[in-house]
Amino acid sequence: MALSRKLKNRHVAMICIGGVIGTGLFLGTASSLMNGGPIGLLLGYLFIGTICYTTMLTLGEMTAYLPVPGGFIKLAERFVDPAFAFAMGWNYWYGWTLTLPAELSAAATIINFWDHTTNNAVWITMCLVVVVGINILGVGAYGEAEFWFSSIKVFTITGMILLGIIVDLGGGPNHDRIGFRYWKNPGPFVNYHGFTGAKGHFLGTVSVATQAAFSYVGTEAVAVAAAEARNPRRNIPKAIKRVYIRVLLFYIGGVLVIGLLVPSNNPLLNLNSDNASASPFVIAFNAAGIKVLPSIINAAILTSAWSAGSSDLYLASRSLYGLAVSGSAPKFFALTTASGLPYVSVGFCACFAFLAYMTLGSSSGVVFTLLSNFSATCGLITWFGIGVTYLRFTKGFHAQGYDRRKLPYAPRFQPFAAWWTVCASALVLFFSGWEVFLKGNWNKATFVTTYFPVMFFPTLYVLAKLVTRVSVVKFEEMDFVSGLDEIEALTYDDPPPKNWMEAFWVWLVSPSLPHNSESSTHTVCQPLRCSHHAVTRI
């Protein structure tokens, strides 16, 4: 059996929006503000945001044309070689698999805000049941749960940004007009690790990049979900179109407000703290005298941790399924139920969630930081691989005489966007854990979690090449046809909304093109047939 296409347009859109809003923004920004200062925090998020933007453009073009099971892993097999797909697939799998226990541990820590007496093992178990239960119920239940969890996250961060602006302008209970006070004292930058002047400011900003990457990674989930999405040719471009703008606004707006409201030398920003008060938003609103909000914020963070954990398990299981389908993992991982649930992959990946219990004797903040570094590094490698795959995809497309302008989704700025994804991701990976090499600052755990994936990815690729002896796919031999019959058979015009609620969600998650955008109908000619597709430009 194959995967079942049960994800609706609103599911795919909210997965794309909400999948990148989680503990990285709500909790991880604390250490980033402490290390980089308000301007360093803002610049770090802006820089990683540009990589996220170009990755979505790059991935969206390929996925809208070929929304195949296995997502970009299968595309890497078609357009680079099976060994590269093998390395990308396993990197993606262990990245998300090891993120799952971190999210469960973070969820238990958040609950401690209300209850310090119960053993964290109870809360980890409760959250684990929720996460596994959502995934066992199938992709439809996952899509519906993610839709509502993501909606909560979107409305929460929007409310916090607006309230943060009000508080900054003196509208809080204490009527303290903060303005840009903390940009002046303790200052816009932090002298990272004792380095002074421009060097210290630059290194502080660089230190923000890895944590910011952890916040952004997950946008590529839309490509994995494409194999289970209804009407993928239309819904995938809709999900990607202008979604990244909202994501950048949420993140850039969020970190801007955080930098205005919380001084970078506040001791509560230290993530070694064992409770959710390390969230900069909690710190800010507590200081403003708004006592009711910490519980509300922590409840929202808890749902974001559940959502992130559910997404972690979904992405890990689907990537393992994709590896099995492509022959890079044992075939039994490709087994599905009659309804299309890859139950073997889900069950196997869920077993790694028990690693969350190993954090009970350690500071959850330390564990969260280490595992988030690991996940961020794996995510950047994935973005790097997506960029490489696209560069070969577009060359092969042209080599076989196809016109890129006639693709279902043809964004501007290519191939420069893909080149930026490749080069900028590699740059961040190179500097991801540089501080461990400073004299007296060696830390084995930090080194392993930041550089092990960087070293292991090429190792996997070389080993796969040696074992399989596969060659890089030639441009003239790339497969742009397989699977198109099924995809085109699934393409249809979405029905108009039936009521004002549906109309609202259509407006929210599937906005129409701006008036100055180009949209026209072209014909894509493939061997043996021609078919009509709408070109979307942004």
Side-chain angles (χ1 to χ4, degrees), residues 155-174:
F155 286 121
T156 298
I157 187 61
T158 301
M160 288 194 292
I161 290 173
L162 294 176
L163 183 58
I165 295 173
I166 293 172
V167 169
D168 183 69
L169 296 175
N174 58 10

Side-chain angles (χ1 to χ4, degrees), residues 49-318:
T50 63
I51 309 176
C52 175
Y53 171 84
T54 56
T55 300
M56 288 302 289
L57 294 182
T58 299
L59 180 60
E61 182 172 332
M62 295 187 294
T63 305
Y65 178 65
L66 288 169
V68 295
F72 48 80
I73 299 170
K74 191 65 177 178
L75 296 178
E77 179 183 330
R78 285 195 184 193
F79 306 125
V80 184
D81 65 42
F84 192 75
F86 177 87
M88 275 191 69
W90 284 109
N91 168 80
Y92 199 68
W93 174 78
Y94 58 66
W96 286 112
T97 300
L98 294 183
T99 305
L100 175 57
E103 297 289 358
L104 294 175
S105 179
T109 302
I110 291 164
I111 296 176
N112 285 338
F113 183 83
W114 298 288
D115 183 1
H116 293 279
T117 60
T118 306
N119 192 301
N120 272 352
V122 175
W123 305 128
I124 291 175
T125 303
M126 181 194 73
C127 296
L128 177 59
V129 170
V130 172
V131 168
V132 174
I134 290 173
N135 278 266
I136 288 296
L137 289 174
V139 67
Y142 164 75
E144 198 65 31
E146 192 62 21
F147 172 78
W148 291 109
F149 282 146
S150 296
S151 299
I152 293 172
K153 289 187 285 187
V154 167
F155 286 121
T156 298
I157 187 61
T158 301
M160 288 194 292
I161 290 173
L162 294 176
L163 183 58
I165 295 173
I166 293 172
V167 169
D168 183 69
L169 296 175
N174 58 10
H175 301 293
D176 180 17
R177 191 180 190 282
I178 301 172
F180 290 88
R181 179 189 308 165
Y182 301 131
W183 288 32
K184 299 177 182 178
N185 183 25
F189 293 96
V190 170
N191 290 322
Y192 194 63
H193 271 289
F195 290 97
T196 58
K199 180 185 292 186
H201 300 165
F202 172 75
L203 295 177
T205 302
V206 170
S207 71
V208 174
T210 301
Q211 187 279 319
F214 174 72
S215 298
Y216 281 111
V217 294
T219 51
E220 70 284 344
V222 68
V224 180
E228 297 177 272
R230 297 179 183 176
N231 200 10
R233 271 281 169 84
R234 298 190 184 276
N235 287 341
I236 297 304
K238 285 181 180 180
I240 293 174
K241 183 177 57 182
R242 294 167 65 183
V243 163
Y244 46 79
I245 297 178
R246 296 191 185 105
V247 170
L248 294 179
L249 287 176
F250 290 145
Y251 275 100
I252 302 307
V255 298
L256 176 61
V257 168
I258 288 170
L260 291 174
L261 298 180
V262 184
S264 58
N265 59 1
N266 190 311
L268 293 177
L269 292 173
N270 189 348
L271 273 183
N272 290 335
S273 169
D274 285 332
N275 56 63
S277 65
S279 169
F281 290 107
V282 174
I283 296 170
F285 296 132
N286 263 333
I290 308 175
K291 300 302 181 184
V292 70
L293 273 182
S295 290
I296 297 175
I297 294 173
N298 276 276
I301 295 174
L302 178 60
T303 63
S304 75
W306 283 348
S307 169
S310 179
S311 294
D312 294 343
L313 182 54
Y314 174 82
L315 293 172
S317 62
R318 270 38 176 199

Side-chain angles (χ1 to χ4, degrees), residues 281-527:
F281 290 107
V282 174
I283 296 170
F285 296 132
N286 263 333
I290 308 175
K291 300 302 181 184
V292 70
L293 273 182
S295 290
I296 297 175
I297 294 173
N298 276 276
I301 295 174
L302 178 60
T303 63
S304 75
W306 283 348
S307 169
S310 179
S311 294
D312 294 343
L313 182 54
Y314 174 82
L315 293 172
S317 62
R318 270 38 176 199
S319 61
L320 185 57
Y321 171 87
L323 286 166
V325 168
S326 64
S328 297
K331 288 295 183 184
F332 59 81
F333 286 122
L335 294 175
T336 64
T337 64
S339 61
L341 172 70
Y343 63 96
V344 178
S345 292
V346 171
F348 180 74
C349 295
C351 292
F352 288 87
F354 292 107
L355 292 173
Y357 295 104
M358 298 176 60
T359 67
L360 297 177
S362 305
S363 168
S364 58
V366 172
V367 174
F368 173 79
T369 300
L370 292 175
L371 291 181
S372 65
N373 286 343
F374 187 91
S375 176
T377 303
C378 292
L380 286 166
I381 292 172
T382 295
W383 290 358
F384 173 85
I386 290 171
V388 171
T389 302
Y390 176 83
L391 291 173
R392 291 190 51 78
F393 165 86
T394 191
K395 286 186 178 180
F397 203 73
H398 291 150
Q400 295 189 26
Y402 299 132
D403 186 354
R404 175 184 170 270
R405 294 173 298 176
K406 297 179 182 179
L407 284 170
Y409 180 63
R412 296 186 178 94
F413 311 122
Q414 294 289 16
F416 306 107
W419 276 113
W420 176 252
T421 293
V422 171
C423 297
S425 296
L427 183 66
V428 176
L429 286 169
F430 182 79
F431 287 104
S432 58
W434 65 271
E435 64 269 17
V436 299
F437 299 108
L438 296 176
K439 185 177 181 180
N441 202 49
W442 173 255
N443 185 300
K444 288 191 296 184
T446 301
F447 176 80
V448 169
T449 54
T450 51
Y451 284 117
F452 173 79
V454 177
M455 296 182 290
F456 196 51
F457 178 78
T459 302
L460 283 174
Y461 179 60
V462 171
L463 288 176
K465 293 285 282 187
L466 293 175
V467 171
T468 62
R469 299 184 181 277
V470 293
S471 301
V472 175
V473 180
K474 296 179 180 179
F475 296 131
E476 296 78 12
E477 298 176 358
M478 289 180 179
D479 182 7
F480 294 97
V481 177
S482 297
L484 287 181
D485 287 330
E486 176 193 357
I487 295 165
E488 292 171 1
L490 295 170
T491 302
Y492 56 87
D493 291 328
D494 291 322
K498 299 177 181 179
N499 50 53
W500 69 268
M501 182 64 77
E502 289 189 7
F504 170 76
W505 283 115
V506 167
W507 170 82
L508 181 65
V509 302
S510 304
S512 59
L513 286 168
H515 293 299
N516 60 355
S517 296
E518 302 172 23
S519 181
S520 57
T521 300
H522 298 277
T523 301
V524 179
C525 294
Q526 288 112 9

